[in-house]
Amino acid sequence: GKIQIDGQIPVVLIMVATYNGHPPENAASFCKALSEHPASEPGKSELQYAVLGVGNSQWVSTFVKVAKMVDKDLARVGAQRLLPFEVADKNDCFDQSVRSWKKALFSM
């Protein structure tokens, strides 16, 4: 599929972990299209986004790998970050991380 990068509505992504470091089935085509989208100048797009990576740090080699990739690719194509990339780890203060991220997001 093709992704349109410009838009007025902010994109909020909560990326759930997979044990193998691949995107979940419902995100695979989005991740592929995003990774193939041409690079652009930082902040050139009107698209604004925030990414929360959800995972389990016991899966060391794949911990929030897809969420980090999506965050990096959105910046690479010129989208503007609304919030810094955040992680919610099931092994370390998960609920607190989600609440803090949500509070920052809805305070904008």
Side-chain angles (χ1 to χ4, degrees):
K2 187 175 180 180
I3 295 177
Q4 183 174 349
I5 297 298
D6 294 321
Q8 296 296 320
I9 300 170
V11 174
V12 177
L13 298 168
I14 301 172
M15 302 295 298
V16 179
T18 58
Y19 71 92
N20 61 9
H22 298 291
E25 282 185 37
N26 63 355
S29 61
F30 168 76
C31 290
K32 183 179 185 317
L34 181 59
S35 71
E36 294 171 351
H37 198 282
S40 185
E41 295 175 35
K44 184 176 180 185
S45 171
E46 293 180 19
L47 179 68
Q48 298 177 316
Y49 72 96
V51 177
L52 173 65
V54 177
N56 181 333
S57 60
Q58 289 180 344
W59 300 342
V60 176
S61 64
T62 61
F63 180 56
V64 296
K65 180 179 176 180
V66 173
K68 288 177 185 176
M69 177 193 69
V70 167
D71 181 73
K72 179 181 170 186
D73 282 344
L74 283 167
R76 180 185 58 75
V77 300
Q80 303 168 40
R81 262 188 203 98
L82 289 171
L83 295 172
F85 177 78
E86 186 61 60
V87 171
D89 181 1
K90 286 302 283 182
N91 291 314
D92 184 31
C93 304
F94 178 84
D95 291 334
Q96 181 181 349
S97 297
V98 172
R99 276 193 305 272
S100 295
W101 187 78
K102 231 170 49 170
K103 182 178 179 182
L105 182 67
F106 291 111
S107 296
M108 303 184 86

